[in-house]
Amino acid sequence: GDRVRQATDLTNVTFRAADERMLRAYVATGEPMDKAGAYGIQGYGAALVERIEGDFFGVMGLPVRLVLRNEARLQAYRRAGGLTLVEQGQAQRYPIPGETADSPEPIRRLLLACKAYDAEAAVASVAHRLDAESELILLQNGLGSQDAVANCVPQARCISASSTEGAFRDGDWRVVFAGHGYTWLGDPAHPVAPFWLDDLSAAGIPHEWSADILTRLWRKLALNCAINPLTVLHHCKNGG
């Protein structure tokens, strides 16, 4: 009755020519000492890399997929060549591999970034890929959608998040980061924080595990009730 699932993620990394002085300087940073392959592409090791073909995050050991709602959106995304993030006026494209919800590979961690009214349907479309080892991070504002999602996939862990980070879209597959903030995460059903919060710290993402995430969600709901009408009236972009 036991099932074994496996998946492979492949990224080709091409290194630039480096002399002994450059390599010794990199070793002296201490960064390669605990890294698979003896380099960290997310740190100083990026200076050693000429190009990659595939998923940048996969090189870090954290392969990422963007799940699109249908084949038409998937093809549009592939034509765009990835997601573009604009930060401090600098645009960078991330060629994150895309797929549709009906892909068979299991999902271990799902970052649900749709609107609250789409959350339940979005999770239902990938429910066959979720099991007892899966975790969902729910970024929806308001209350109610979190319970609906949890009821849809009772086998998985659902973690709610409330964030004051600001961003807006200025085109298809293009996001402008508009304001630094803070993110609270919590799980009323399981108060123990997950181990991967250390990854957020390493990435420099300000966050806190909250034992009372419902209060945070209520507070965000109350603020949005006041802020959202004003942003519409005054044509303000999110985070602006």
Side-chain angles (χ1 to χ4, degrees):
D2 292 339
R3 294 181 299 170
V4 176
R5 292 181 176 180
Q6 64 180 38
T8 301
D9 192 82
L10 175 65
T11 300
N12 294 320
V13 180
T14 301
F15 290 90
R16 66 177 74 253
D19 58 24
E20 183 176 346
R21 179 182 177 184
M22 183 176 184
L23 294 176
R24 286 186 177 278
Y26 180 55
V27 171
T29 68
E31 183 180 89
M33 300 308 180
D34 63 346
K35 301 292 190 297
Y39 75 102
I41 196 170
Q42 71 276 27
Y44 298 118
L48 304 175
V49 176
E50 181 176 306
R51 70 177 185 275
I52 67 170
E53 300 169 62
D55 180 15
F56 171 87
F57 300 100
V59 181
M60 296 168 54
L62 298 168
V64 176
R65 294 288 184 273
L66 182 66
V67 181
L68 286 306
R69 65 180 66 225
N70 54 46
E71 185 66 25
R73 290 298 284 165
L74 175 59
Q75 294 306 318
Y77 173 70
R78 286 175 173 170
R79 287 193 296 271
L83 289 175
T84 297
L85 175 64
V86 182
E87 188 170 2
Q88 296 181 344
Q90 299 295 316
Q92 182 169 351
R93 180 178 296 169
Y94 295 90
I96 299 170
E99 62 186 29
T100 55
D102 56 4
S103 177
E105 285 80 12
I107 296 175
R108 285 291 164 260
R109 195 170 302 141
L110 177 66
L111 186 66
L112 192 65
C114 62
K115 291 293 187 181
Y117 50 73
D118 281 333
E120 185 177 4
V123 170
S125 70
V126 295
H128 64 286
R129 303 173 61 182
L130 305 171
D131 57 28
E133 296 182 16
S134 301
E135 294 175 312
L136 285 70
I137 299 92
L138 311 179
L139 295 176
Q140 288 66 42
N141 289 327
L143 290 163
S145 65
Q146 298 87 351
D147 290 337
V149 166
N151 291 334
C152 181
V153 284
Q155 72 275 24
R157 183 181 188 184
C158 293
I159 296 172
S160 297
S162 178
S163 181
T164 58
E165 299 272 9
F168 62 87
R169 289 176 54 196
D170 70 346
D172 224 8
W173 319 116
R174 184 178 170 93
V175 177
V176 177
F177 182 64
H180 289 280
Y182 206 85
T183 300
W184 291 267
L185 304 102
D187 179 1
H190 301 89
V192 178
F195 71 91
W196 47 260
L197 286 188
D198 291 341
D199 295 334
L200 299 186
S201 299
I205 299 175
H207 70 281
E208 177 183 322
W209 182 257
S210 174
D212 190 14
I213 191 63
L214 293 179
T215 297
R216 289 287 177 186
L217 293 173
W218 269 110
R219 186 176 300 172
K220 184 71 179 293
L221 175 61
L223 288 171
N224 283 348
C225 286
I227 292 173
N228 288 353
L230 294 174
T231 60
V232 173
L233 289 173
H234 295 283
H235 306 288
C236 297
K237 293 180 178 179
N238 187 25

